[in-house]
Amino acid sequence: MADGNGGLRLSERIGEMATRVRGGSVWESMFRPGSPLKKGYSDTPRNRSYVIMNSVLYHLHPVKVKRHGVRLSYTLCLGGLSFFLFILLTITGIFLMFYYRPTAEAAYLDVEALSTSVAFGSLVRNMHRWGAHLMVLTVFLHMSRVFYHGAYKPPREFNWVIGVMLLLLTLLLSFTGYLLPWDQLALWAVTVGTNMGGFTPIFGPGVKFALLGGIEVTGNTLLRFYVLHVLFLPFIIVIFMAVHFWRVRKDGGISGPL
Amino acid sequence: MVDIPEHLLLRSAEAKAKALGVPVEQVLAEMRGEALPPSASTTPSETPEVSTPDDSETSAGEEPAVEADVVAIGDVAEPEVQADAQAVEPDVVEQPLAAVATTGDAGPDVANSQPPASGGDSPLAATVSPRPVAQPEAVPEGVRTQRLLTVVKARAIQQVKSSPADKVNTWPHLMIAEFTALLVMTGFLIILSVILQAPLLELANFNATPNPSKAPWYFLGLQELLSYYDPQIAGVIVPGISGLIGFMAIPYIDRNPSTKPSDRKFAILLFTFFLAGSATLTMLGVLFRGPGFNFTYPWADGIWFDDLKDWVYFE
């Protein structure tokens, strides 16, 4: 509608602009057919299939899922939330890495500076810590949920085994991260934890020595735990997660109904 | 279209040439579609059509890897066989289908009249039986005519069961729920992180052992066990053997196929016992252990767990 001066209203201009962008070749090239972001998307059964089938989501989800699996009360979304927390922890962890040096001299000061003089530093650190605790919890609850549904029964036996590995890796990730602030809490919790591991006969002391880079927690341990925490364990856990998700679909999707 | 391996084509051509009494080269050329059939009595089409299996119902979008399996079928005047790897069990197609004599007196009319009986989309499974449906009529005794009719795919590596299930579209039904859960979790975590400060005590000091020294909370149940039992038991057998290996072995120990809770009371009882036990031990370790790892009451002596220091206040 004209404003009386031969011009267009702002809202109309924006609308026109949006239409032009969504009809443009750049936008067109960004989304595959059936994307809801594409111009002219309509909510048809075919397009509903395309949203999954024609996008990267197809690596995670099939086009259709069992109706009972969609109910929140069946899964409580625990597996998905564990995965999402992992992503959140990766994002916040990368942020923290910018401000952190894994040496006995610098680590504590860096964390202190991060909490006091970096914008949102304290918030991101808190999110990383509480998110990590939450992830241990959701992974554990996810395992319990799977057990009570008997979802580890054939053909899903091996996916359960992978799941236990993922729980172990989650615990290790959390435990290696525990040391990094290099405060009294970190040092002595890790000392107690590794002492417990050292009780394992035959290879226990060896593993403890390799893990600590010595006979007790030192600056070497800090570097080791840092590398394990930010590189090695995430790398391993991503591989296990990929197999885990893949097996969920190959073994016939979500289990049940009871 | 599946290429027929050369040696199989040759073998088939030899058998047919022997049966029909014509030179091998002629049959071979005919099979390759290079020459017209020597007479109308031979089959009209020699190149079978193999339809690729439609795996849309697997809804996973993968092509199941299959091995081509060549099947020789009795001399049939059938223009094409649809080998649908999923509709029929393909490896039973080794027997002659409704076999029709194609030599001499049978004539072209037989060849033309037969296809509706077994071709097309009439249920192939009906004609596929472990035994020949009909014996060849005009083939001399002792001569078993063999001809390469089609190449069908062998059994898929993965078992694709397409039993009807009540399904809904992932978009929007599942994605909306997941996205909501994701947003709620993000919101919850941000609010939690604004309210509660992550602990940061004084700098690590090797000479000042705090009393008590506690592991992270998820190991505190084990630490609690360690205070009762010998390290060999509490530090090895419980976490290592029953904890890790035992948990991984659960699906291989529990062979009860039912998932109904009423059928697996013992398993549920055991697991609930484990849950309750580990929760109790962890709570004990976190809240009820004070200096010297001795029992305290959190409401009397406060919390002796630094991660929780900012969470709960007791005055």
Side-chain angles (χ1 to χ4, degrees):
Chain A
M1 193 183 292
D3 59 1
N5 297 324
L8 290 172
R9 279 188 189 160
L10 186 62
S11 60
E12 286 171 330
R13 285 190 191 191
I14 291 171
E16 204 176 77
M17 186 73 176
T19 316
R20 210 180 307 145
V21 168
R22 292 183 76 195
S25 58
V26 175
W27 193 270
E28 189 71 15
S29 71
M30 280 161 70
F31 302 100
R32 305 202 65 219
S35 168
L37 297 167
K38 235 177 158 64
K39 196 181 173 187
Y41 175 82
S42 58
D43 190 19
T44 60
R46 193 165 83 142
N47 273 345
R48 285 180 171 201
S49 304
Y50 277 160
V51 170
I52 305 296
M53 204 163 39
N54 264 349
S55 75
V56 74
L57 286 172
Y58 204 24
H59 286 287
L60 271 180
H61 283 311
V63 169
K64 287 191 165 193
V65 287
K66 292 173 193 160
R67 187 184 293 276
H68 77 93
V70 175
R71 281 204 335 265
L72 192 64
S73 59
Y74 188 74
T75 61
L76 301 172
C77 233
L78 286 166
L81 283 178
S82 306
F83 178 47
F84 177 63
L85 280 170
F86 176 78
I87 292 171
L88 266 184
L89 289 167
T90 309
I91 295 168
T92 52
I94 289 170
F95 177 90
L96 297 177
M97 280 177 76
F98 286 127
Y99 302 99
Y100 180 81
R101 285 164 293 171
T103 62
E105 293 77 33
Y108 181 77
L109 296 176
D110 284 349
V111 175
E112 219 171 28
L114 173 81
S115 306
T116 51
S117 55
V118 174
F120 296 109
S122 179
L123 177 72
V124 175
R125 182 168 105 82
N126 292 351
M127 281 178 74
H128 195 75
R129 189 170 187 106
W130 303 135
H133 288 324
L134 263 177
M135 186 177 161
V136 173
L137 206 63
T138 54
V139 170
F140 188 77
L141 291 177
H142 174 62
M143 183 182 77
S144 306
R145 195 284 291 173
V146 166
F147 185 90
Y148 282 119
H149 282 160
Y152 57 83
K153 302 199 169 190
R156 299 184 177 82
E157 307 103 305
F158 192 64
N159 217 13
W160 167 272
V161 177
I162 296 170
V164 176
M165 302 258 218
L166 283 172
L167 173 67
L168 178 71
L169 286 166
T170 307
L171 289 177
L172 282 176
L173 270 167
S174 181
F175 185 64
T176 49
Y178 218 86
L179 182 66
L180 302 188
W182 201 244
D183 62 345
Q184 280 290 73
L185 176 60
L187 174 66
W188 293 101
V190 169
T191 304
V192 172
T194 46
N195 279 345
M196 276 161 38
F199 287 132
T200 314
I202 306 166
F203 52 86
V207 168
K208 186 186 164 192
F209 188 86
L211 209 59
L212 295 186
I215 50 167
E216 57 175 22
V217 180
T218 59
N220 291 345
T221 318
L222 185 60
L223 181 61
R224 272 177 203 223
F225 272 41
Y226 177 75
V227 173
L228 286 175
H229 185 75
V230 302
L231 212 66
F232 181 74
L233 291 171
F235 174 69
I236 301 290
I237 206 173
V238 163
I239 292 174
F240 274 87
M241 279 198 295
V243 178
H244 195 64
F245 301 157
W246 182 77
R247 279 301 292 254
V248 169
R249 288 184 59 186
K250 292 293 158 181
D251 293 341
I254 195 163
S255 68
L258 286 181
Chain B
M1 188 65 218
V2 179
D3 277 331
I4 299 165
E6 189 64 26
H7 68 285
L8 291 170
L9 201 67
L10 189 65
R11 201 170 73 189
S12 167
E14 275 168 359
K16 185 171 181 180
K18 189 180 164 194
L20 295 176
V22 290
V24 178
E25 291 76 25
Q26 185 190 337
V27 181
L28 201 60
E30 177 194 322
M31 280 181 161
R32 287 185 179 136
E34 289 165 2
L36 285 172
S39 70
S41 62
T42 47
T43 54
S45 168
E46 298 293 342
T47 48
E49 193 176 300
V50 179
S51 65
T52 50
D54 171 29
D55 59 351
S56 64
E57 69 225 313
T58 67
S59 74
E62 75 292 326
E63 289 280 336
V66 289
E67 297 159 11
D69 194 1
V70 175
V71 177
I73 302 181
D75 203 351
V76 190
E78 195 178 41
E80 63 176 48
V81 173
Q82 288 193 335
D84 190 335
Q86 286 176 341
V88 289
E89 283 287 281
D91 22 0
V92 290
V93 195
E94 284 183 25
Q95 305 303 327
L97 298 177
V100 179
T102 52
T103 44
D105 55 337
D109 50 340
V110 177
N112 291 335
S113 64
Q114 201 57 30
S118 55
D121 51 1
S122 68
L124 190 56
T127 65
V128 175
S129 63
R131 243 158 283 172
V133 178
Q135 288 298 325
E137 283 162 20
V139 177
E141 191 79 26
V143 177
R144 191 174 172 80
T145 61
Q146 296 282 316
R147 175 169 81 79
L148 187 71
L149 187 63
T150 185
V151 177
V152 296
K153 291 182 171 180
R155 186 190 292 126
I157 286 173
Q158 65 180 28
Q159 297 297 312
V160 182
K161 283 185 215 142
S162 58
S163 49
D166 190 11
K167 287 191 168 183
V168 291
N169 273 103
T170 304
W171 172 266
H173 301 288
L174 180 60
M175 300 297 294
I176 292 281
E178 280 183 339
F179 194 64
T180 311
L182 183 153
L183 283 183
V184 169
M185 176 56 89
T186 314
F188 173 71
L189 195 58
I190 288 176
I191 290 170
L192 192 73
S193 303
V194 168
I195 296 172
L196 295 171
Q197 185 59 39
L200 186 67
L201 310 185
E202 58 277 18
L203 177 66
N205 183 352
F206 297 101
N207 300 317
T209 311
N211 190 12
S213 294
K214 289 190 180 182
W217 64 268
Y218 36 82
F219 291 148
L220 267 184
L222 283 180
Q223 199 181 346
E224 182 71 20
L225 272 183
L226 274 171
S227 68
Y228 299 125
Y229 299 107
D230 183 72
Q232 296 291 325
I233 295 171
V236 181
I237 294 175
V238 173
I241 294 171
S242 67
L244 213 70
I245 299 170
F247 260 88
M248 287 185 189
I250 282 177
Y252 306 99
I253 295 167
D254 177 12
R255 302 312 293 184
N256 171 12
S258 173
T259 57
K260 276 209 183 75
S262 55
D263 291 343
R264 40 199 300 267
K265 284 179 180 148
F266 182 64
I268 287 179
L269 183 79
L270 271 187
F271 196 82
T272 309
F273 182 76
F274 160 75
L275 275 190
S278 49
T280 309
L281 286 175
T282 307
M283 297 276 271
L284 271 182
V286 171
L287 295 175
F288 294 88
R289 289 290 189 175
F293 218 65
N294 293 317
F295 278 113
T296 59
Y297 292 111
W299 49 86
D301 303 319
I303 304 265
W304 295 92
F305 186 69
D306 295 304
D307 250 333
L308 280 179
K309 269 202 167 149
D310 283 354
W311 288 55
V312 198
Y313 296 98
F314 292 104
E315 291 303 326

